[in-house]
Amino acid sequence: MTESNGFSQNAHLYADSAAHSQTHDLELALESLGDPDGWEILDVATGTGHTAFFFSQRQAHVFGVDINDEMLAIAQEEADRKSLSCRFLKGSCDDLPFDDATFDLVTCRLAAHHFAEPTAFLKEAHRVLRPAGRMLLVDNIVPTGSVGKWINDFEYQRDPSHRACLTEESWKELFRAQNFKEVKLQEFPRELDFDLWMDRMSVESHDRDRAWEKLCQAPGEVVEYLQPRQDGEIRFLTLHRLLALVGTG
């Protein structure tokens, strides 16, 4: 996560966000990961801690790092309330405050599109993983070409801390460049409430209405990919996510 005001002012919205708290993707990953009981796990850009809690509730020992103080405070308070084995620290994705070969698993969920240097993050993730360790990455992805560019521009207008959603092929290339071995890649759609999505960045009502109109009038391939629809007063769009499970050996 970033230190921008949208995250700081609305940290509580991320704690309650269904888009972040629902863990179907983590349940799916667990089928390949196996039982994490006793593992040492690092959750990078942990936000308000949903991924950290998921693994801690399965008897793993979890560290979460983020650069946003407000989110870290909410995460630690919730972990303490639930008596979970989680510790939350301030730290950057490209300069992790841990020794080499410390963790069995590194996770990063719905955050990498904010990273200025994904390569630096992957290098650090590989460094802190033990031999035969694994990394679980879940993030929004886009198609190649003009559709992907349109979506990234649209995301940036909502959230100036947005850097780029990558394509699946781009992630594959980055993993290979950092000597990760591919274990599992899976793409899946995730429908979101458009207005709650806008709320998390404090987008004013008139601006979100203009954004909705722009989305609905976007080029056909964009509309087909993002699938804007309205059910009564509730507006929806569909983002696409990649679940990537890769290993060091």
Side-chain angles (χ1 to χ4, degrees):
M1 291 298 173
T2 75
E3 292 181 297
S4 69
N5 286 338
F7 292 110
S8 298
Q9 294 174 356
N10 298 321
H12 64 287
L13 296 181
Y14 284 84
D16 298 333
S17 165
H20 295 78
S21 62
Q22 293 176 356
T23 57
H24 169 73
D25 52 345
L26 298 178
E27 296 282 0
L28 186 63
L30 206 61
E31 295 176 6
S32 297
L33 285 167
D35 185 0
D37 187 356
W39 289 6
E40 299 288 338
I41 297 177
L42 173 63
D43 186 35
V44 178
T46 191
T48 52
H50 295 296
T51 302
F53 300 154
F54 176 87
F55 285 101
S56 183
Q57 287 165 343
R58 288 156 180 80
Q59 313 310 313
H61 307 290
V62 186
F63 283 88
V65 297
D66 204 290
I67 60 172
N68 186 281
D69 292 316
E70 288 79 5
M71 287 194 165
L72 288 170
I74 289 174
Q76 191 65 68
E77 181 179 349
E78 184 67 5
D80 294 344
R81 187 183 71 81
K82 293 180 176 179
S83 299
L84 297 176
S85 181
C86 295
R87 183 181 175 194
F88 294 95
L89 304 171
K90 190 166 186 175
S92 172
C93 66
D94 55 8
D95 187 18
L96 298 172
F98 300 98
D99 293 335
D100 296 357
T102 298
F103 296 100
D104 301 294
L105 176 69
V106 170
T107 62
C108 181
R109 182 170 176 258
L110 304 180
H113 55 276
H114 295 291
F115 296 168
E117 296 290 344
T119 297
F121 155 63
L122 293 180
K123 183 177 181 180
E124 277 290 273
H126 198 287
R127 178 185 67 79
V128 301
L129 279 169
R130 292 172 176 153
R134 287 174 286 182
M135 183 179 71
L136 170 64
L137 181 138
V138 179
D139 202 28
N140 299 326
I141 56 173
V142 295
T144 58
S146 61
V147 176
K149 183 181 185 305
W150 194 100
I151 294 170
N152 275 315
D153 289 344
F154 187 70
E155 287 256 28
Y156 178 79
Q157 290 168 18
R158 164 186 172 264
D159 172 16
S161 74
H162 177 82
R163 296 290 184 144
C165 296
L166 304 182
T167 66
E168 180 176 340
E169 187 56 41
S170 293
W171 276 117
K172 288 181 181 180
E173 292 174 3
L174 289 174
F175 292 141
R176 287 193 291 264
Q178 295 303 318
N179 297 314
F180 280 104
K181 310 297 183 184
E182 183 178 314
V183 178
K184 179 177 182 177
L185 293 174
Q186 182 169 340
E187 180 183 347
F188 59 97
R190 181 71 169 86
E191 187 174 66
L192 302 178
D193 182 311
F194 176 84
D195 288 287
L196 293 180
W197 188 60
M198 289 286 169
D199 281 347
R200 290 196 288 274
M201 283 294 116
S202 298
V203 179
E204 297 291 342
S205 177
H206 59 281
D207 289 328
R208 72 180 62 184
D209 288 342
R210 282 200 292 265
W212 179 255
E213 183 178 357
K214 179 178 179 178
L215 173 58
C216 292
Q217 295 177 0
E221 288 179 300
V222 173
V223 172
E224 183 179 356
Y225 192 80
L226 295 179
Q227 299 175 40
R229 69 178 185 90
Q230 190 158 352
D231 185 357
E233 295 184 356
I234 304 176
R235 302 180 286 194
F236 298 93
L237 82 163
T238 296
L239 301 182
H240 294 255
R241 292 180 180 171
L242 177 69
L243 185 156
L245 181 60
V246 295
T248 58

